[in-house]
């Protein structure tokens, strides 16, 4: 049986989707969390000098979405066939379109400029990208609450985590997107996910 170690900072960030996959699968793993002052002494241990990194039976794999896809395939959360997996990837890419607009807003250091960027993001970018996700959920979900095939896949977990960050920025972001709200609620109702969310460390990001 394979052993897994996930290396990241002490936060949700780019590792959280993989932690959610582990939780949904009920799979044990070692969750290695570096504080910022610890990281420099471990950076050289990582293939690209960055995290997250997944170590599987001694092999280290970088890149957050490559890690998530691998784990999803390991634990039957990637889609039941090639077409379902392609649909999952299409939704993942659509989430990434939104993240590409969100991340510069999140990490802007100038507070005055940040507030301007937040207003523009909420007014112009966020509704457009959420609408795209709502369309795909209705198109691929077979009438159910999950994005693809009416069963849980890793893209539901990816959206859940991304939306957590968006809702911290704008609490009413999903009010006009009933399907997306239902999707998040359904993810939270999964027993293993609910248990993980109840017990996971509370962090700043």
């Amino acid at each position: 049986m394979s052993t897994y170690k996930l290396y990241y900072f002490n936060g949700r960030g780019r590792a959280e989707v993989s932690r959610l996959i582990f939780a949904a699968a009920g799979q044990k793993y070692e969750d290695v969390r570096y504080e910022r002052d610890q990281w420099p002494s471990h950076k050289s241990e990582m293939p690209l000098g960055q995290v997250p990194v997944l170590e599987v039976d001694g092999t280290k794999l970088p890149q957050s979405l490559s890690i998530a896809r691998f784990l999803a395939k390991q634990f039957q959360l990637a889609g039941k066939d090639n077409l379902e997996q392609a649909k999952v990837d299409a939704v993942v890419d659509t989430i990434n379109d939104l993240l590409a607009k969100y991340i510069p807003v999140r990490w802007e250091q100038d507070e005055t400029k940040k507030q301007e960027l937040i207003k523009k993001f909420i007014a112009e970018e966020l509704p457009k990208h959420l609408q795209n996700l709502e369309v795909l959920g209705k198109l691929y979900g077979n009438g159910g609450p999950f994005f693809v095939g009416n069963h849980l896949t890793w893209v539901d977990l990816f959206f859940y985590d991304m939306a957590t960050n968006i809702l911290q920025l704008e609490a009413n972001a999903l009010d006009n997107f009933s399907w997306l709200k239902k999707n998040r609620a359904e993810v939270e109702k999964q027993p293993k996910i609910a248990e993980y969310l109840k017990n996971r460390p509370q962090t700043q990001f």
Side-chain angles (χ1 to χ4, degrees):
M1 183 177 292
S2 293
T3 59
Y4 303 92
K5 291 176 71 172
L6 184 64
Y7 301 88
Y8 194 59
F9 301 114
N10 186 23
R12 299 188 313 275
R14 293 182 179 272
E16 193 65 10
V17 62
S18 292
R19 295 187 185 118
L20 287 165
I21 293 169
F22 277 126
Q27 174 64 47
K28 292 183 179 179
Y29 69 105
E30 186 175 348
D31 188 16
V32 180
R33 293 170 176 254
Y34 296 122
E35 299 298 339
R36 292 290 180 179
D37 60 348
Q38 297 174 313
W39 169 239
S41 63
H42 294 280
K43 185 173 182 177
S44 63
E45 300 168 5
M46 303 303 157
L48 302 180
Q50 63 191 37
V51 284
V53 164
L54 177 70
E55 185 173 342
V56 187
D57 300 330
T59 296
K60 289 180 176 176
L61 179 68
Q63 301 292 1
S64 59
L65 294 185
S66 294
I67 293 167
R69 282 192 180 92
F70 167 76
L71 292 174
K73 290 175 182 177
Q74 287 286 89
F75 307 133
Q76 291 75 54
L77 290 168
K80 292 180 178 178
D81 55 34
N82 286 342
L83 184 56
E84 277 202 0
Q85 290 180 23
K87 292 175 181 178
V88 167
D89 283 343
V91 181
V92 168
D93 288 345
T94 305
I95 293 171
N96 278 331
D97 288 343
L98 175 52
L99 286 173
K101 300 295 183 180
Y102 165 75
I103 289 171
V105 176
R106 170 68 176 82
W107 294 109
E108 174 57 50
Q109 297 300 305
D110 183 297
E111 192 58 36
T112 301
K113 185 177 180 182
K114 184 172 185 175
Q115 292 307 313
E116 293 173 358
L117 290 174
I118 288 172
K119 288 180 182 178
K120 184 176 181 181
F121 173 76
I122 291 172
E124 298 178 13
E125 295 294 345
L126 186 56
K128 175 176 64 177
H129 291 285
L130 291 176
Q131 180 61 35
N132 288 343
L133 289 166
E134 180 109 342
V135 166
L136 292 183
K138 292 176 179 178
L139 184 63
Y140 295 152
N142 292 352
F146 298 113
F147 270 106
V148 175
N150 203 14
H151 56 88
L152 184 73
T153 65
W154 75 276
V155 76
D156 299 298
L157 305 175
F158 189 32
F159 175 73
Y160 182 88
D161 183 57
M162 185 277 295
T164 298
N165 296 321
I166 296 296
L167 289 167
Q168 289 174 347
L169 192 69
E170 172 52 62
N172 301 318
L174 298 183
D175 284 1
N176 294 325
F177 303 97
S178 59
W179 190 92
L180 295 178
K181 288 183 76 171
K182 183 169 65 174
N183 173 261
R184 263 183 67 82
E186 196 66 29
V187 169
E188 287 181 331
K189 287 195 300 187
Q190 304 300 302
K192 292 175 183 176
I193 295 296
E195 182 70 14
Y196 171 75
L197 294 174
K198 184 174 72 173
N199 294 308
R200 73 178 173 182
Q202 297 301 307
T203 57
Q204 289 185 331
F205 68 97

